């Protein structure tokens, strides 16, 4: 059977489902309907059923989804049932904020090394980690079996950090610097530039003023 | 003529186009082809032409797009040709990082007020702004004509902040707290939870291990 190609949009919704399901489990909720999930997420229940059907036949008619079972399944699909180690470069405010978030992640994904280029920051502590010099990146990635890199340096330094990650053999990059980075095709890169979210939000404001002049589709 | 419904995916790509075009203009590049844009963004040139055609007939065959003209047009579409004021609640590491980013934004979108609930943080300076007490939110939003709110507080406090934003008459919210928030339908809310990006990145790693058990689509 041909491997199923799952759209990016669906993959991006899975962590959101996971978050809601984890909340439900915390409150000892054992089953949930697509209708209830839809209410919580502002998504059409049919959309949710379709998303989850990609991965197997989880739900049962009239009963809904078993919360714990669905959590297990989504974690498997996202490969969160195995440890995944992450390195972060750029120990400024954003880097520190993400490190704090990371300690909340119960999902086997852990920031296990933090690097910075500035001598005044190298050697300081963030949570339980000591900030390492950027020169130690390659050796540390190999030693700690790190597969994902997070970039939280200024835009002008970001490509250099990306190149170092690629050279170190990292498989995926999450880039927070507000710039486009070039990496080889086999490296997966996600951009998490908050300005993109903020600027696209502007588009949706002031709906009454929505007059586009002569929209043309040709 | 019926108003054109532009897909969210297209709207989210526009700020990325804008970023690349601003970079080009900085380097005095005057025209750019969809092919060159495609190379920079890892997007199919046909996709780029299609995206931009939604908004009018910008490109010319054999010449490409006029960089400055396209920047103007995209800024108009995103409504960045007029000032848009933003408030941020939560002056921790993430809030500070975003405030720093914001000073780089040349796009009329400005964080003009920062709030926090903690007495030890209220009154401190971030860039040129003094952190205000959360109780001042409603009056300040009205006074400064703020239309967008950014939430960078811990998950447990986020819904309370969202409620305050809604009560203050804000039109759009960018939420960084790792939790789902409920707001009235007329408020536009974007979630910028970095864990979603990070967890969906995990899915794409280790392609050889991509065996899903009996995918079913029914």
């Amino acid at each position: 059977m041909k491997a199923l190609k799952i759209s990016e949009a669906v993959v991006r919704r899975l962590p959101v489902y996971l978050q809601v399901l984890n909340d439900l489990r915390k409150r000892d909720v054992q089953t949930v309907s697509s209708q209830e999930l839809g209410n919580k997420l502002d998504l059409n229940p049919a959309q949710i059923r379709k998303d989850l059907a990609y991965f197997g036949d989880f739900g049962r008619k009239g009963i809904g989804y078993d919360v714990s079972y669905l959590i297990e399944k989504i974690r498997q699909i996202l490969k969160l049932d195995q440890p995944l180690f992450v390195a972060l470069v750029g120990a400024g405010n954003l880097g520190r904020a993400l490190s704090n978030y990371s300690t909340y992640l119960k999902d086997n994904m852990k920031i296990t090394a933090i690097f910075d280029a500035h001598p005044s920051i190298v050697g300081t502590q963030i949570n339980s980690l000591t900030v390492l010099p950027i020169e130690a990146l390659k050796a540390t990635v190999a030693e700690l079996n790190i597969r994902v890199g997070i970039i939280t340096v200024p835009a002008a330094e970001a490509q250099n950090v990306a190149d170092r990650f690629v050279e170190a053999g990292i498989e995926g990059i999450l880039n927070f610097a507000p710039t486009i980075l070039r990496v080889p095709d086999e490296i997966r890169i996600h951009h998490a530039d908050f300005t993109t979210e903020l600027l696209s939000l502007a588009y949706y404001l002031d709906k009454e003023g929505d007059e586009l002049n002569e929209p043309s589709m040709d």
Side-chain angles (χ1 to χ4, degrees), chain A residues 59-73:
Chain A
R60 276 175 300 161
K61 268 222 164 64
I63 300 177
Y65 298 95
D66 182 292
V67 170
S68 292
Y69 182 74
L70 197 48
I71 287 173
E72 267 338 284
K73 278 294 173 186

Side-chain angles (χ1 to χ4, degrees), chain A residues 18 21-22 25 58 66-82 107-108:
Chain A
L18 196 56
L21 291 165
N22 279 327
R25 185 157 65 175
F58 298 140
D66 182 292
V67 170
S68 292
Y69 182 74
L70 197 48
I71 287 173
E72 267 338 284
K73 278 294 173 186
I74 294 179
R75 296 185 72 234
Q76 275 174 30
I77 291 159
L78 291 176
K79 301 185 193 121
L80 297 171
D81 52 343
Q82 48 202 322
D107 282 309
N108 275 328

Side-chain angles (χ1 to χ4, degrees), chain A residues 73-143:
Chain A
K73 278 294 173 186
I74 294 179
R75 296 185 72 234
Q76 275 174 30
I77 291 159
L78 291 176
K79 301 185 193 121
L80 297 171
D81 52 343
Q82 48 202 322
L84 183 58
F85 300 129
V86 179
L88 182 148
V89 178
N93 283 315
L94 184 59
R96 279 163 202 274
L98 297 185
S99 309
N100 290 334
Y101 263 123
S102 159
T103 61
Y104 293 117
L105 288 180
K106 278 180 280 339
D107 282 309
N108 275 328
M109 215 172 196
K110 271 260 166 299
I111 295 175
T112 52
I114 301 178
F115 301 88
D116 204 285
H118 298 88
S120 62
I121 294 175
V122 170
T124 61
Q125 289 282 125
I126 297 182
N127 300 319
S128 61
L129 297 172
T130 303
V131 178
L132 302 171
I134 184 78
E135 292 75 20
L137 183 81
K138 193 173 174 183
T140 310
V141 163
E143 190 192 331

